[in-house]
Amino acid sequence: VQLVESGGGLVQPGGSLRLSCAASGFTLSSYVVSWYRQAPGKERDLVAYITKTDTYYADDVKGRFTIYKDNPKNALYLQMNSLELEDTAVYRCRAFRSLNFGRVDDYWGQGTQVTVSS
């Protein structure tokens, strides 16, 4: 079972990046999948999540970021446009589902660095 992110890098303010999260060993479509980020010295924050019926975005990325899945590819993506300096962080994907009897499946990727700098 593995989640592997890619697509991070250095970009200028106003630029765009697309992050990818490839799942192996399980099927993403059965999970709530999300992107988190953590900037240096700050707590980890939820950026966006997607379920079978809903999407959610944090207020500071709404209108700039888009989360989506490709079920045949078993992958999750985060399209990030109009990037700002404050978007600099390590971005991690997560797949979560609740099971019977209080058990959960909760998988995280290792993270990909996004640096927005002029």
Side-chain angles (χ1 to χ4, degrees):
V1 172
Q2 198 173 16
L3 290 171
V4 179
E5 300 99 335
S6 61
L10 174 64
V11 63
Q12 292 184 339
S16 298
L17 283 175
R18 189 183 77 157
L19 304 183
S20 302
C21 174
S24 59
F26 69 106
T27 303
L28 273 182
S29 61
S30 302
Y31 290 72
V32 175
V33 286
S34 52
W35 287 96
Y36 286 75
R37 67 185 181 185
Q38 187 166 19
K42 295 187 177 181
E43 295 185 351
R44 184 173 59 201
D45 292 326
L46 174 64
V47 175
Y49 70 73
I50 184 168
T51 69
K52 291 182 180 180
T53 57
D54 297 306
T55 56
Y56 162 86
Y57 296 94
D59 287 342
D60 56 352
V61 306
K62 203 172 295 183
R64 301 188 297 120
F65 291 10
T66 303
I67 186 172
Y68 61 100
K69 291 190 299 181
D70 186 330
N71 287 334
K73 292 185 178 180
N74 208 28
L76 173 70
Y77 301 93
L78 185 68
Q79 178 66 44
M80 306 186 295
N81 299 328
S82 302
L83 282 161
E84 302 171 353
L85 298 176
E86 294 75 21
D87 296 318
T88 295
V90 174
Y91 286 71
R92 300 177 70 188
C93 59
R94 180 190 189 190
F96 177 89
R97 69 175 180 178
S98 296
L99 303 171
N100 293 333
F101 310 111
R103 295 177 301 124
V104 300
D105 284 336
D106 191 3
Y107 307 123
W108 290 82
Q110 82 290 349
T112 186
Q113 176 70 47
V114 171
T115 302
V116 184
S117 175
S118 56

